[in-house]
Amino acid sequence: MKPFSFIHAADLHIGSPFKGISVESAEVAEQLQKSTFSAFDALIKACIDHQVNFLLVAGDVYDGADRSLSAQLHFRDGLKQLADAGIRSFVVHGNHDPLDGRVSTIEWPQEVHNFGKAAETVTVEVDGESVASVSGISFPKKNVEINLAKKLKPGPDHLFQIGLLHCNVGNDTGHDPYAPCELGELQSSGFNYWALGHVHTRTKLSENPWVVYPGNSQGRSIREQGARGCYLVRVDRQCTAEMEFVPLDVVRWHQTSVSILDIESLDALDRRLVEVAEALPEAGRDVVCRISIEGRGPLYKELRNEGAEAELLQRIRQNLESSDPLIWVQRIELNCLPQVDLQQRAEQGDLLAEVLTLANETAESPAGLQRIEADALDDLWKNPRAKKGLAPLDDADIRKILDQAKLLCLDLLEEEE
Ligand SMILES: [Mn+2]
């Protein structure tokens, strides 16, 4: 069999609105709104640069069922570019862009195969020789509860058999359980390569046969940090596949931290924050980040002042205003502690020590935690309006509240001395 190569991408989410960020900075909002389009352009460029034989897109091409026309045209134009370069494309749709959503009547090049709601198998040729088969099926609607993998049958044995599908493998992916299936059944189904979409973090679930999620092409929130892209797959004469990750994202999300240990002034903290942020961009990519301020140090007290967090954020945004690539600090989180060791302080035998001891005991006993939920939060739970908007608290949440209360008592009681 002739060697060949393809790129496997998924979850492009072209046209993601990035709601919530636009309020704060029009420039950042614009960068983000362009990012899913730019990442797709990078995908097309990668296909052409690596001279692959075909492209696989495993669903969630668009972000919403109401796919914007501009997103659809942009996608079509990219695939047209591939068609002009002799590269075929195979596309299935997932829960974000099911077939019953808005589908505009636009013309597709012959080299593009859009799989419908019935399973199909297409043979791929390289220089007149059949090398691979692609079997695929699209989501007819958003909430697909049935197992779509079962509907796909591999092509002829002598070809490299690919299953193209948007689905949720196993139960603990942290994603919606659409088109559920089990890893075992995919492994025993006779396919050489399952080109999957849905899970946004790239994962190779299995190697022989391959069961692969390439992840999304562009991170869209702080939950989707680090490099995002696609897999370049080269298949040799023996039908052995080799994988290479190709990053495509243009804006990268990061979570990082700064310790206040040994930082004596707010100026020095400002400088440290800028240094840390400026170290984030990788290969010229724009950055959106959150910075957590941690550790024990003399600045703790000043940082506890009301509004300190917002002021810090404002200053670092100003300091990074002209950075190129763009660095946008989305949030600063204060997780630092006072210089006093609370455990030792609880042994000093005064009122504060008593309060701290009581808080520690409460945090350690199930009955104590229940008491906080029942007594202290009772009014809140009884308020019908508040109740609607509140999620129930677990033990970790209550301990966090207790920790905050301890720090507040420390501030107030130490000051009085
Ligand atoms: Mn998705």
Side-chain angles (χ1 to χ4, degrees):
M1 192 184 76
K2 269 189 197 310
F4 64 95
S5 64
F6 62 92
I7 277 183
H8 168 199
D11 298 278
L12 311 176
H13 287 265
I14 301 174
S16 274
F18 291 93
K19 281 180 195 146
I21 291 194
S22 52
V23 220
E24 293 179 295
S25 158
E27 190 200 351
V28 177
E30 201 192 317
Q31 260 329 78
L32 286 171
Q33 274 153 17
K34 279 198 297 199
S35 68
T36 51
F37 290 89
S38 307
F40 173 68
D41 295 343
L43 171 64
I44 297 305
K45 187 172 181 303
C47 289
I48 292 172
D49 288 352
H50 293 285
Q51 300 186 323
V52 297
N53 297 97
F54 55 97
L55 166 68
L56 303 173
V57 183
D60 285 4
V61 174
Y62 310 105
D63 189 58
D66 62 340
R67 340 164 159 203
S68 75
L69 184 58
S70 65
Q72 292 184 65
L73 291 175
H74 196 87
F75 183 60
R76 193 273 316 271
D77 290 348
L79 300 192
K80 168 86 169 56
Q81 236 180 300
L82 294 186
D84 292 344
I87 301 170
R88 296 184 72 178
S89 307
F90 298 91
V91 181
V92 296
H93 294 287
N95 55 295
H96 272 267
D97 59 349
L99 297 176
D100 68 353
R102 174 178 166 190
V103 183
S104 306
T105 49
I106 50 179
E107 285 169 18
W108 296 89
Q110 273 201 336
E111 290 81 352
V112 177
H113 189 91
N114 288 302
F115 285 95
K117 61 182 180 186
E120 266 180 285
T121 300
V122 183
T123 301
V124 191
E125 291 180 359
V126 170
D127 301 332
E129 186 186 320
S130 300
V131 293
S133 64
V134 182
S135 305
I137 188 168
S138 284
F139 274 42
K141 54 173 188 166
K142 181 185 177 198
N143 303 311
V144 171
E145 282 157 11
I146 57 163
N147 182 333
L148 290 182
K150 273 194 179 16
K151 294 183 181 280
L152 296 187
K153 299 285 172 263
D157 268 350
H158 64 284
L159 303 181
F160 187 81
Q161 298 143 316
I162 297 168
L164 180 60
L165 187 64
H166 198 80
C167 66
N168 195 52
V169 181
N171 299 319
D172 52 357
T173 61
H175 287 69
D176 295 320
Y178 297 132
C181 58
E182 294 302 323
L183 180 58
E185 62 179 309
L186 298 185
Q187 285 169 321
S188 62
S189 60
F191 283 95
N192 297 95
Y193 188 106
W194 278 99
L196 306 182
H198 188 48
V199 171
H200 284 193
T201 304
R202 65 176 176 279
T203 336
K204 294 174 191 163
L205 292 176
S206 162
E207 287 205 2
N208 186 26
W210 290 95
V211 180
V212 179
Y213 283 112
N216 52 352
S217 48
Q218 168 62 56
R220 297 182 309 139
S221 76
I222 199 69
R223 292 189 305 279
E224 299 179 346
Q225 292 172 40
R228 306 271 149 174
C230 61
Y231 277 116
L232 166 63
V233 185
R234 296 186 182 89
V235 181
D236 68 12
R237 289 184 187 283
Q238 283 74 44
C239 242
T240 307
E242 209 178 88
M243 316 270 296
E244 184 189 329
F245 172 70
V246 180
L248 302 171
D249 51 347
V250 293
V251 180
R252 210 162 273 182
W253 295 76
H254 292 276
Q255 167 87 48
T256 186
S257 64
V258 162
S259 168
I260 57 166
L261 178 84
D262 297 334
I263 295 185
E264 304 280 344
S265 69
L266 282 177
D267 289 337
L269 177 61
D270 283 348
R271 284 198 297 277
R272 185 81 194 105
L273 286 169
V274 169
E275 265 169 38
V276 165
E278 283 180 337
L280 291 175
E282 294 161 335
R285 284 181 170 82
D286 293 338
V287 162
V288 178
C289 63
R290 287 188 188 182
I291 308 178
S292 159
I293 297 182
E294 299 175 354
R296 296 176 188 281
L299 274 189
Y300 166 80
K301 259 209 149 134
E302 259 182 283
L303 294 176
R304 289 277 297 174
N305 286 338
E306 213 177 319
E309 219 169 74
E311 283 171 24
L312 268 181
L313 184 61
Q314 201 186 356
R315 284 206 301 278
I316 191 172
R317 283 178 178 172
Q318 266 162 15
N319 287 331
L320 293 169
E321 213 166 35
S322 52
S323 61
D324 182 17
L326 181 118
I327 305 168
W328 175 255
V329 182
Q330 194 196 22
R331 188 186 294 177
I332 291 211
E333 292 158 354
L334 286 183
N335 295 310
C336 51
L337 294 166
Q339 267 176 310
V340 242
D341 183 325
L342 289 181
Q343 222 53 350
Q344 279 175 17
R345 187 62 189 79
E347 286 158 22
Q348 282 183 21
D350 58 359
L351 176 62
L352 177 58
E354 223 172 288
V355 171
L356 292 174
T357 306
L358 183 65
N360 290 341
E361 285 168 4
T362 307
E364 278 156 28
S365 85
L369 292 173
Q370 252 170 36
R371 214 167 50 232
I372 299 266
E373 174 127 40
D375 297 356
L377 298 176
D378 201 38
D379 285 345
L380 209 52
W381 294 128
K382 277 187 187 150
N383 181 315
R385 279 183 65 197
K387 209 175 142 186
K388 257 191 222 161
L390 291 172
L393 298 172
D394 60 21
D395 288 358
D397 294 328
I398 299 176
R399 286 200 185 95
K400 234 183 244 170
I401 295 174
L402 271 170
D403 282 341
Q404 288 302 314
K406 277 199 286 194
L407 294 174
L408 189 62
C409 292
L410 177 82
D411 290 349
L412 297 171
L413 293 171
E414 286 284 59
E415 245 162 48
E416 276 171 19
E417 279 166 15

